[in-house]
Amino acid sequence: MFRLDKKLIKKLKEEKHRNLLGNLSYIDLYAEYVKKAPNKEWSHKQGVFINSIYRSIPKKIKIIRTI
Amino acid sequence: MNIKFAGKTIELFGKELNDLDKEVIKFVGLLDSKYVVVSGYISLLFGRPRTTEDVDLLVQIKNYRAFALIWKRAYNQGYYCLNDDDPLEAYKIFSEGSSVRFAKRNTLFPNFELKAPKSRIEQTALNKRLKLRFDDSGIFISPLELQIAYKLYLASDKDYEDARYLYTLLSQYIDLRKLKYFISSLGVREAAKEILGV
């Protein structure tokens, strides 16, 4: 088992922050695309992605509640 | 994006509704009460390519009778409550301020998380709700300025990304004065500066 010393935690936090900033740059690019594209175009592309996820959800999950 | 803001209505005609949109429109149609969609699903409505497990709804349900009516409609349409099979028990959970979730039978998500508006910020979301209109349908959503500020308040990376997306996409329609008011009310000035640059 290794210990997370303060230096390492600080490094991980910085890395997490860099990752967020990278994601935000991508968000800007995507938002610019949606801004310029006709509704039919961006929503169709988004729909292909979203539908593929929701159509692959298992439909026979048995729910058992415990108290 | 072809979008038109007219008072309390936003027109987003020509949007191809995906399976989640259709499910949400169907579910809110069962609510015979004043509601508003809040949180993550709003960024999806405006095109963010990500999924969500739950759709958050603030719903003003006056009493058990009104709750039981929603319950009956939901069960008739093939939904079930994830919290409890007894409507009275579920209403207790709801009226105490917690959320109750509904999903299609034998599934867990997407699920609809119904919560009573308790705080001033939640009441504002409901009272100042906007109607988002599609070609043949529509739903009520939280004011965008409040939505963006609230996402900053939630403060996960995903929430920050949603806030940035909505702000970047719809900046020309955002009322900056209102946005700054909500940012200040929620105490997220620092995050707003870093994530939105305002």
Side-chain angles (χ1 to χ4, degrees):
Chain A
M1 195 174 149
F2 68 95
R3 279 194 183 166
L4 289 175
D5 59 38
K6 281 182 183 172
K7 216 171 155 186
L8 184 57
I9 291 172
K10 190 174 172 237
K11 218 175 167 183
L12 287 171
K13 275 186 182 168
E14 285 167 0
E15 202 176 308
K16 185 176 178 286
H17 190 66
R18 266 200 309 276
N19 189 41
L20 172 66
L21 295 180
N23 287 351
L24 292 178
S25 304
Y26 156 75
I27 295 283
D28 290 346
L29 281 177
Y30 197 80
E32 288 306 324
Y33 158 71
V34 174
K35 244 187 219 182
K36 288 172 190 153
N39 291 348
K40 210 172 173 61
E41 183 188 307
W42 64 258
S43 60
H44 177 74
K45 287 181 179 170
Q46 186 203 27
V48 169
F49 171 68
I50 289 181
N51 294 348
S52 71
I53 305 288
Y54 288 102
R55 286 174 193 178
S56 64
I57 295 172
K59 297 282 189 287
K60 285 182 181 168
I61 295 175
K62 195 167 185 179
I63 313 297
I64 300 165
R65 292 193 195 88
T66 51
I67 300 167
Chain B
M1 175 175 274
N2 317 106
I3 191 166
K4 193 177 163 192
F5 281 68
K8 288 188 157 192
T9 302
I10 305 173
E11 291 174 354
L12 195 59
F13 296 152
K15 180 187 195 284
E16 203 174 279
L17 300 177
N18 58 55
D19 289 359
L20 181 61
D21 295 330
K22 289 174 192 168
E23 200 61 53
V24 174
I25 290 164
K26 190 178 161 194
F27 188 82
V28 297
L30 304 172
L31 303 173
D32 197 21
S33 306
K34 192 174 179 182
Y35 78 88
V36 62
V37 176
V38 294
S39 214
Y41 176 60
I42 294 181
S43 63
L44 274 74
L45 274 170
F46 289 100
R48 226 196 129 189
R50 73 167 179 87
T51 59
T52 185
E53 288 174 19
D54 50 16
V55 175
D56 299 298
L57 298 157
L58 295 172
V59 194
Q60 205 162 52
I61 301 175
K62 285 176 191 162
N63 48 35
Y64 174 66
R65 205 174 150 192
F67 184 83
L69 187 67
I70 293 170
W71 181 281
K72 194 179 169 190
R73 284 183 181 162
Y75 270 71
N76 284 343
Q77 290 295 316
Y79 295 93
Y80 77 106
C81 179
L82 275 72
N83 305 66
D84 207 298
D85 278 326
D86 180 352
L88 197 57
E89 287 301 319
Y91 181 67
K92 271 185 200 163
I93 296 168
F94 178 81
S95 56
E96 282 164 7
S98 297
S99 52
V100 289
R101 292 170 187 259
F102 289 87
K104 272 280 162 86
R105 210 161 286 142
N106 299 324
T107 66
L108 287 173
F109 61 91
N111 60 63
F112 299 91
E113 194 176 337
L114 275 62
K115 201 177 165 227
K118 295 277 182 197
S119 66
R120 203 160 63 90
I121 211 92
E122 289 171 337
Q123 282 291 352
T124 305
L126 193 69
N127 293 336
K128 304 279 180 190
R129 65 185 186 165
L130 303 171
K131 177 86 184 259
L132 179 61
R133 290 182 61 205
F134 310 115
D135 294 317
D136 301 313
S137 53
I139 58 172
F140 287 101
I141 62 166
S142 160
L144 297 169
E145 294 84 0
L146 175 55
Q147 178 62 33
I148 292 168
Y150 192 68
K151 279 280 169 184
L152 296 175
Y153 170 78
L154 292 175
S156 76
D157 282 7
K158 184 188 72 180
D159 296 311
Y160 284 153
E161 289 164 19
D162 280 347
R164 173 82 157 241
Y165 179 76
L166 289 173
Y167 183 72
T168 307
L169 181 72
L170 303 167
S171 54
Q172 70 184 105
Y173 307 104
I174 300 288
D175 183 331
L176 208 55
R177 196 179 51 85
K178 264 191 212 168
L179 177 63
K180 284 184 175 175
Y181 169 77
F182 289 127
I183 285 169
S184 177
S185 303
L186 289 165
V188 289
R189 281 196 192 136
E190 213 171 294
K193 205 169 243 179
E194 183 172 16
I195 305 299
L196 311 178
V198 298

